[in-house]
Amino acid sequence: MFATVLFLGLVAAQAATLTVDNTADSGPGTLRQALTDATFNAEANDILFNIPTTDPGYDSGTNRFTILLTSELPSIPVAATTITNAQPQAVTITGNGQIRIFTLDNGAAVLMNNITISNGYSGPLLAPNKTMSRARSAKLVAIGESYGGGIYMGSSSTLTLNAVVISNNVATFLGGGIYMSGDATLHAHYSSMTGNSANHGGAIFMENGGTLNIDTSTLNGNIASGDGGAGGGAVYVGWTST
């Protein structure tokens, strides 16, 4: 099944293969470097994990590699991009509760296979007991800083998730797990979204005109704290969205 779903529309004739061979936050062979390199390729980009179990980010008890980010990754460009873990070990990308993990440019087309996106955060980092001015709050909303704790999807972008886990991500306003800008399209197959939270759209927030297709997937334990809990704990669907 995995080999089949890999071909869901993101194959190009001259794809560049970019290999992630370690769990460091930056430098050669990292996920950050692969995404940086992808911005210079106008054709498709295939980002593949091939990390040895001798890597310090490997936990033999859970059979999992963890990539701990200290700053937001480069945004994913318009050229079709796949991010695939075909190793027997799991791969988790975590924002450590401080930063958003993935941002898709407007019009980007992205396919993710068999990864976990966890503990991302989008919102203002405020000192304890410090309140935010209305002007600052409006500015954050305008630039999407409080949108999409795990993934921010730009306008008219397309994202396909195959066997992907979106867990424990937080946005202080919209889309704890995923925020979908206007006319964005999200396909989720054999995936799960658990423990994500936001003011509206705990797992997913869809702006007007968005399209969402989910099959054989689980949405569980997601929370929307706005409007007395009526803000779409799992999914908030904007007008004209489907």
Side-chain angles (χ1 to χ4, degrees):
M1 180 188 68
F2 182 75
T4 300
V5 297
L6 190 60
F7 291 95
L8 287 176
L10 293 179
V11 178
Q14 297 181 356
T17 299
L18 305 168
T19 301
V20 178
D21 60 19
N22 67 80
T23 62
D25 177 62
S26 62
T30 63
L31 177 60
R32 185 179 303 278
Q33 187 62 54
L35 289 172
T36 299
D37 293 344
T39 64
F40 296 101
N41 180 31
E43 303 297 333
N45 297 281
D46 294 329
I47 298 174
L48 304 175
F49 291 94
N50 186 21
I51 308 173
T53 55
T54 54
D55 186 277
Y58 176 65
D59 183 344
S60 60
T62 59
N63 196 32
R64 179 178 298 274
F65 295 104
T66 299
I67 298 173
L68 176 62
L69 303 177
T70 59
S71 62
E72 190 172 336
L73 291 168
S75 60
I76 301 177
V78 172
T81 300
T82 69
I83 301 175
T84 300
N85 173 35
Q87 296 185 260
Q89 299 83 19
V91 171
T92 291
I93 306 159
T94 175
N96 200 30
Q98 298 182 18
I99 53 172
R100 180 194 297 140
I101 297 172
F102 286 114
T103 300
L104 277 60
D105 284 346
N106 294 344
V110 179
L111 169 62
M112 297 182 181
N113 295 299
N114 194 33
I115 62 173
T116 295
I117 298 167
S118 184
N119 289 299
Y121 173 82
S122 181
L125 297 177
L126 298 176
N129 302 318
K130 182 178 180 181
T131 59
M132 181 169 45
S133 70
R134 288 190 177 186
R136 170 63 172 156
S137 178
K139 182 179 179 181
L140 291 175
V141 170
I143 64 175
E145 189 173 325
S146 299
Y147 295 11
I151 301 174
Y152 178 98
M153 297 179 62
S155 179
S156 300
S157 62
T158 299
L159 175 62
T160 301
L161 305 176
N162 293 315
V164 171
V165 176
I166 309 288
S167 64
N168 302 313
N169 300 286
V170 176
T172 58
F173 193 29
L174 305 179
I178 301 172
Y179 171 80
M180 301 170 60
S181 298
D183 299 320
T185 299
L186 173 63
H187 306 283
H189 312 286
Y190 301 96
S191 296
S192 68
M193 302 181 193
T194 60
N196 304 288
S197 62
N199 191 265
H200 299 284
I204 302 169
F205 185 96
M206 300 171 61
E207 287 287 4
N208 296 343
T211 300
L212 174 63
N213 297 301
I214 299 178
D215 68 78
T216 324
S217 298
T218 300
L219 288 85
N220 182 56
N222 302 288
I223 298 172
S225 58
D227 294 342
V235 180
Y236 184 100
V237 180
W239 292 359
T240 71
S241 296
T242 57

